Amino acid sequence: MRRYYTNGGIPTLDVALSEFMTSDGLKKLAALTKQKLPTRKADIAEVIKRHLEGERLRTVWQSLDELQRAAVAEVVHSSSTEFQADRFRAKYGRGPNWGTTDGYGYRRSPSALGFFFYGNGVMPDDLKARLEAFVPRPAAAKIETLTELPAAYDLPYSRWSSKTKTQEEGTEPVALTVRESERAAQRELLSVLRLIDSGKVSVSDKTRRASAATVKAITTILEGGDYYPQLPVTDKWHDENAGPIRAFAWPLLVQAGGLAQLSGSKLRLSTSGRKALSEPAADTIRTVWSRWIDSTILDELIRIECIKGQTGRGKHSLTALSSRRVAIAGTLAECPAGAWIAADEFLRFLRASGNDFSVTRDAWSLYVGELQYGSLGFEDGQRILEQRYLLAFLLEYAATLGLPAVSPIPPTGARPNHRPPWGTHDLPFFR
């Protein structure tokens, strides 16, 4: 009978073979030793133990292919004994060879990697200790960058042609605009503080979010305007406006940074805010950024309004804001300066470097459209949550403070390489 181990690990190879392997599984793994096998389970386990005794363990490890050795190294030189499949794929592009199965996923024949992992991919503690003596550390995760952006982006489209009576698909070039936000953010911060000082910034006493009039006023002082200009709505069923982003973020950022406080329905400069008017803006932004990481004034996920359940059943399963933000901020700090990085590549690097985060502990409680069919607990739901949260955090808060320069592309259908979740056919910004 398998015992329960509180830390989720497996203390010894003996325990792994006796409690985490079936007789059939042991026979298939032991067959890789090329030894004549006994019939009793305990005796078969002894064959495997002898195969991994002393220096034989190094020989078995050396017989693995490069990717299999990397799988062993990632666990040996980590704080865990569990193989992290998602992180490994993010770093190496694919998983290691675990063996073969039949066409239905059954009748598994293990590879030699099975000598090192048991149960659900767990390395026994004593085996890990022995491997530490000779298994080299794995290479650090790397990120792909561009020295400069192309002049245009090929934006995919799918639209109905009344002329041909068919659904046409293709791409059309869209010019890329670079938002060099480092210096602009410093000037905008001072402009926002002056606007507050003049009594023109109103926010809700419950949500601390700016009023529509305030957002409009802040938009006018943003250098180059907000990321996406406000367009006339020609069809109420298809509003192509992305809405305010930087103009929405600034009042929240200055509140979280302790530069402004609510007085009635308006913001008033705090002592720190008034002092910031005469100090280097770069130092103030550094303070605001560090305080935003720990702030609970707003969960960036709430800005993705089509994800339902955030204020209901799903609220209690959302993870701590600081844990998500620290993961993203830490990954930003590891990125090379002066280079361009695609959003998807940044997320891959975040996972590969071990800084990954979760938005919720129960994705089934969050949904799009309708809970039964649109739940984000289905396949790819967690990945979608991470991607959307990452984009909201980077574009609306990190870039507003000038940490990364950005080059936003049109939001409609911007992620065509991802299978859209159920219920998002009329949500072009989310798909």
Side-chain angles (χ1 to χ4, degrees), residues 167-230:
Q167 191 75 13
E168 295 182 344
E169 296 185 351
T171 61
E172 52 191 8
V174 175
L176 288 176
T177 302
V178 174
R179 297 283 190 140
E180 295 285 0
S181 54
E182 181 181 355
R183 296 190 181 279
Q186 297 176 41
R187 293 188 288 266
E188 289 175 5
L189 169 65
L190 296 177
S191 296
V192 170
L193 293 179
R194 295 189 190 102
L195 200 63
I196 293 172
D197 198 28
S198 65
K200 296 180 181 179
V201 176
S202 299
V203 300
S204 166
D205 61 343
K206 292 183 178 180
T207 66
R208 301 298 181 91
R209 302 178 202 175
S211 66
T214 294
V215 168
K216 186 175 181 180
I218 293 177
T219 301
T220 62
I221 64 174
L222 298 178
E223 297 194 10
D226 219 325
Y227 294 126
Y228 302 107
Q230 186 76 12

Side-chain angles (χ1 to χ4, degrees), residues 30-338:
L32 298 176
T33 67
K34 307 299 183 183
Q35 302 294 314
K36 183 178 180 180
L37 301 182
T39 57
R40 293 178 63 249
K41 180 179 178 180
D43 294 335
I44 298 173
E46 287 298 323
V47 171
I48 295 175
K49 287 167 59 179
R50 287 196 298 272
H51 187 65
L52 301 176
E53 279 181 348
E55 280 299 306
R56 294 194 187 99
L57 180 63
R58 186 196 293 262
T59 302
V60 175
W61 175 77
Q62 290 174 334
S63 72
L64 302 177
D65 64 33
E66 184 177 357
L67 207 59
Q68 291 172 323
R69 288 197 296 271
V72 173
E74 289 290 341
V75 176
V76 167
H77 295 286
S78 75
S79 59
S80 171
T81 56
E82 183 179 357
F83 176 74
Q84 303 290 334
D86 288 345
R87 182 182 302 176
F88 190 88
R89 283 193 294 270
K91 183 174 180 178
Y92 295 94
R94 58 192 175 94
N97 175 20
W98 292 98
T100 59
T101 60
D102 63 16
Y104 299 98
Y106 300 108
R107 299 179 183 274
R108 181 173 176 270
S109 297
S111 70
L113 195 57
F115 287 120
F116 300 88
F117 296 98
Y118 301 84
N120 293 319
V122 178
M123 181 179 289
D125 295 343
D126 62 341
L127 199 59
K128 178 176 177 176
R130 292 173 58 199
L131 289 165
E132 287 175 349
F134 59 84
V135 172
R137 287 188 172 275
K142 296 181 180 180
I143 189 167
E144 293 185 11
T145 63
L146 294 173
T147 54
E148 60 181 33
L149 289 177
Y153 167 77
D154 290 329
L155 183 68
Y157 67 81
S158 177
R159 56 192 175 216
W160 176 258
S161 172
S162 57
K163 183 177 180 180
T164 62
K165 307 298 182 185
T166 59
Q167 191 75 13
E168 295 182 344
E169 296 185 351
T171 61
E172 52 191 8
V174 175
L176 288 176
T177 302
V178 174
R179 297 283 190 140
E180 295 285 0
S181 54
E182 181 181 355
R183 296 190 181 279
Q186 297 176 41
R187 293 188 288 266
E188 289 175 5
L189 169 65
L190 296 177
S191 296
V192 170
L193 293 179
R194 295 189 190 102
L195 200 63
I196 293 172
D197 198 28
S198 65
K200 296 180 181 179
V201 176
S202 299
V203 300
S204 166
D205 61 343
K206 292 183 178 180
T207 66
R208 301 298 181 91
R209 302 178 202 175
S211 66
T214 294
V215 168
K216 186 175 181 180
I218 293 177
T219 301
T220 62
I221 64 174
L222 298 178
E223 297 194 10
D226 219 325
Y227 294 126
Y228 302 107
Q230 186 76 12
L231 302 172
V233 179
T234 57
D235 183 348
K236 66 178 182 179
W237 302 110
H238 296 89
D239 185 351
E240 293 297 312
N241 287 298
I245 298 178
R246 288 153 62 210
F248 179 91
W250 270 122
L252 292 164
L253 287 166
V254 295
Q255 290 178 81
L259 304 179
Q261 299 169 339
L262 184 64
S263 177
S265 63
K266 295 183 182 296
L267 289 183
R268 294 283 184 263
L269 290 183
S270 65
T271 302
S272 298
R274 195 163 298 282
K275 187 178 178 182
L277 286 170
S278 58
E279 293 189 335
D283 294 339
T284 306
I285 283 179
R286 187 179 297 110
T287 299
V288 172
W289 171 246
S290 64
R291 291 184 177 176
W292 181 259
I293 299 298
D294 295 323
S295 169
T296 58
I297 193 172
L298 177 119
D299 185 340
E300 295 89 350
L301 185 67
I302 205 72
R303 294 289 284 147
I304 312 172
E305 297 173 355
C306 63
I307 296 180
K308 307 301 181 184
Q310 299 183 51
T311 58
R313 173 186 166 191
K315 179 179 181 180
H316 303 292
S317 60
L318 295 176
T319 57
L321 287 171
S322 59
S323 67
R324 306 178 217 158
R325 293 168 179 167
V326 165
I328 299 172
T331 307
L332 271 176
E334 294 178 21
C335 293

